[in-house]
Structures are given as C-alpha cells and as structure tokens.
C-alpha cells in the first residue's frame, strides 16, 4: 500500500485567472495562455513570481498571450505554439527559445507528449499579424493526461480526443459569446469522455459573465464535476 501511495500519479494545477493556468508535472512547470497584468480580477498575482519551464499558447489573441514574453524571458522558458506565433516571437522580439507545432502534430517534451489539437475560433496577434490557426493542447504524461481545448466552439473533432488519450481532467472554456458556453461545454465533456472539468474563460469581461452555481449544477446533472478554482489557487488532479 505504501509503495502504491508513493507511486500515485499527481498533477498540480494553479489557476491564474481567465484562461491562464499552470500544470506541474514531475517538477516541470507548464504554463498556458498567460493574461494576468491586464486582468483586473488577477491583480493579486505577480507575474514575476510565476515559474515556467514551458509557455504554451493556444492562439494569438491578447487575452491569451499578454504576459507570455515577460514570463518566458524571466524563466528562459520555451514557448510552444503554432508556427506563425512562434515565428512572430522570433521576428518581433528576437525570442527564439520556442517550438513550433501545427494542428494534428505532436512532440515529446521533457514532461510528456503534446499534441496540438483543432479549435474553431480565430487567432490574430495583438499588432494585427496573422496568428495562424487557433488550437488546443492534449498532454499525455506518466503523471496523467489532460486536454486544454483553448478558445473554441463545440466541435465534433473533440470526439477524436478519447482515441488518443484517457483523460484525467480537461480544461474547457465555459463563458459563451467568444467560445462555448456551459451547455456546449457539457456536451464537449461527453465527447472527450471526461468527468472532471476545470472551467476557464468566464467572468473576465462583460460578455462572458456566468452564474457559477448554475454552471456547477448543470455539469452535476450530467454526472460531471465542474471545478472553478479561485484565482491563485492550486489544486491536485
Ligand atoms: Ni480568443
Ligand atoms: Mn480568449
């Protein structure tokens, strides 16, 4: 029993507001979509205290990349995103510690395998540059597997996810208007065959305010758990 306990798989997730979170796997910090300094709700978070070995960017919108360069530079972290976004960091900021990937491709990093998945959305960069196609990330590691959908509509492509991975949890947008709302996120959870969902991309702006209690109840009615961590909170999954 003690041996089993020592071998227990653990992934720690810290929520930094909006769609920004970090997952710690085997001591590596993988940060997703940092949007902290412009986020009023996240003003308690100091970006200079955020650890990152990797910064994964789902798409080029400001509300997903605002603090990416600062945090990547602070930590000498590798930026992982689509080819266009990675190229933009190279040409505009001369930040070349980066890994380009494109939809359907996967790569083995030190913490596990990452597949860049389809998302239905848009991806213009803050200066108007083309940001490639938006995506999500599927991470398979020896400590567990998870899927971050990125900003996306509900899509049948999500039915592919369980063919590639047995998920321990998934991070889905639930704020509606710019992405899926709660009803579609419940269907997405069914498509990806995952009962433990961390909700993101809600409440930050007027267009995406939600009723959190109702959202949790809606998932519960379908036998699924919706986790809405506080900003700055770390949970084990
Ligand atoms: Ni977006
Ligand atoms: Mn967004």
């Amino acid at each position: 029993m003690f041996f089993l306990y020592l071998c227990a798989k653990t992934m720690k997730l810290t929520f930094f507001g909006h769609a920004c979170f970090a997952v710690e796997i085997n001591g590596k910090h993988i940060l997703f979509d940092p949007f902290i300094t412009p986020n009023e709700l996240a003003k308690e978070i100091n970006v200079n205290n955020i650890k990152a070995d990797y910064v994964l960017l789902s798409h080029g919108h400001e509300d997903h990349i605002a603090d990416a360069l600062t945090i990547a530079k602070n930590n000498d972290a590798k930026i992982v995103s689509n080819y266009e976004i990675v190229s933009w960091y190279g040409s505009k900021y001369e930040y070349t510690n980066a890994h380009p990937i494109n939809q359907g491709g996967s790569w083995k990093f030190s913490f596990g395998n990452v597949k860049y998945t389809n998302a239905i959305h848009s991806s213009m960069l803050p200066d108007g540059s083309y940001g490639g196609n938006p995506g999500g990330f599927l991470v398979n590691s020896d400590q567990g597997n998870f899927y971050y959908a990125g900003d996306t509509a509900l899509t049948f492509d999500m039915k592919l996810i369980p063919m590639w991975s047995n998920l321990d949890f998934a991070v889905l947008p639930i704020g509606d208007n710019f992405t899926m709302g709660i009803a579609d996120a419940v269907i997405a959870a069914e498509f990806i065959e995952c009962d433990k969902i961390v909700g993101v991309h809600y409440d930050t702006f007027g267009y995406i305010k939600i009723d959190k209690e109702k959202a949790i109840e809606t998932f519960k009615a379908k036998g699924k758990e919706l986790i809405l961590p506080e900003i700055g909170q770390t949970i084990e999954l």
Side-chain angles (χ1 to χ4, degrees):
M1 284 303 284
F2 189 57
F3 181 71
L4 281 174
Y5 176 76
L6 282 175
C7 291
K9 298 198 298 178
T10 54
M11 287 179 288
K12 275 186 201 157
L13 180 148
T14 304
F15 183 52
F16 293 112
H18 196 50
C20 179
F21 61 98
V23 177
E24 190 184 336
I25 302 172
N26 291 329
K28 297 284 181 198
H29 295 83
I30 304 113
L31 182 74
F32 294 84
D33 286 357
F35 173 74
I36 295 155
T37 50
N39 183 359
E40 259 301 294
L41 302 178
K43 58 177 183 287
E44 302 297 313
I45 306 292
N46 181 350
V47 289
N48 293 318
N49 292 339
I50 293 181
K51 282 188 218 158
D53 296 288
Y54 295 88
V55 178
L56 274 61
L57 305 174
S58 65
H59 64 295
H61 287 158
E62 175 75 7
D63 63 316
H64 296 259
I65 70 162
D67 297 302
L69 188 66
T70 305
I71 295 170
K73 277 184 169 171
N74 282 349
N75 293 276
D76 193 23
K78 191 177 284 297
I79 291 176
V80 180
S81 190
N82 69 37
Y83 182 78
E84 290 78 7
I85 291 172
V86 160
S87 301
W88 185 73
Y89 279 106
S91 58
K92 192 173 170 94
Y93 299 106
E94 293 177 1
Y95 196 85
T96 54
N97 183 8
H99 181 102
I101 195 163
N102 219 328
Q103 274 75 9
S106 57
W107 188 261
K108 189 150 184 50
F109 293 95
S110 60
F111 59 89
N113 200 75
V114 173
K115 192 179 193 65
Y116 192 51
T117 59
N118 294 342
I120 297 184
H121 193 66
S122 53
S123 179
M124 188 175 71
L125 286 154
D127 66 356
S129 297
Y130 174 57
N133 287 319
F137 296 100
L138 174 64
V139 177
N140 287 333
S141 81
D142 63 6
Q143 296 299 298
N145 307 328
F146 66 95
Y147 168 57
Y148 168 45
D151 279 10
T152 182
L154 175 65
T155 160
F156 255 67
D157 289 346
M158 290 169 178
K159 291 195 170 204
L160 294 167
I161 301 292
M163 296 182 190
W164 297 319
S165 184
N166 190 0
L167 297 176
D168 293 285
F169 69 93
V171 180
L172 300 179
I174 58 169
D176 216 337
N177 192 72
F178 296 118
T179 67
M180 296 188 283
I182 291 147
D184 282 354
V186 171
I187 299 169
E190 287 169 352
F191 282 4
I192 63 176
E193 298 176 15
C194 184
D195 290 337
K196 194 175 281 186
I197 305 298
V198 177
V200 297
H201 214 276
Y202 65 91
D203 280 4
T204 320
F205 339 104
Y207 292 118
I208 60 173
K209 293 254 194 292
I210 66 159
D211 180 335
K212 291 203 269 184
E213 288 311 310
K214 199 175 154 200
I216 290 165
E217 284 306 313
T218 306
F219 273 79
K220 209 173 179 180
K222 295 285 183 181
K224 300 199 179 283
E225 184 185 7
L226 177 67
I227 304 162
L228 302 176
E230 298 295 324
I231 295 172
Q233 190 186 354
T234 299
I235 56 175
E236 262 192 54
L237 291 155

